[in-house]
Amino acid sequence: DDNNRLTPDGTGWVVRGFFNLTDDKDSYFVLRENRTDPSIEYRIALPAGAQLIVDTQRLWHAATHNGTEPRYCLITSWTSGPELDAYIEKYHGTDDVPNVEVPQDVLEHGYAEQAR
């Protein structure tokens, strides 16, 4: 995302909120600092009701959905700052979530597809 190219210095940073609406236990959100480097990859489960606030300009992001039915997600834009911090605190936000385990052969297939 190129959300903040014109953001004046000293003002809030645009971040994205992802609110997962579909209850599919096999869906997960992928975050990487470098799109082409999977050595540090975070995978966050997306059950119904999962909420993520992500700096999408800094982090490469994608959702993986293995189901056959559509996956629905509400994507919103937020401005960083005290109001967002208060919202996250009010709803007990955390940055410590377990990584979704994915079989190594599935990961390798995905990495090969990305390289292709």
Side-chain angles (χ1 to χ4, degrees), residues 39-115:
S39 66
I40 300 177
E41 177 176 280
Y42 302 95
R43 296 178 301 274
I44 301 169
L46 291 175
Q51 299 182 32
L52 292 80
I53 303 291
V54 178
D55 182 347
T56 56
Q57 186 162 323
R58 186 178 75 80
L59 295 170
W60 180 84
H61 56 285
T64 298
H65 177 63
N66 296 312
T68 58
E69 297 296 318
R71 184 184 74 85
Y72 295 98
C73 177
L74 175 64
I75 302 172
T76 56
S77 295
W78 300 72
T79 301
S80 66
E83 295 85 358
L84 178 58
D85 293 344
Y87 174 85
I88 292 170
E89 184 176 338
K90 178 180 178 181
Y91 292 102
H92 313 292
T94 180
D95 60 359
D96 184 24
V97 294
N99 217 19
V100 171
E101 295 298 323
V102 177
Q104 190 60 38
D105 63 320
V106 172
L107 290 174
E108 289 173 10
H109 175 76
Y111 299 154
E113 182 64 21
Q114 178 186 4

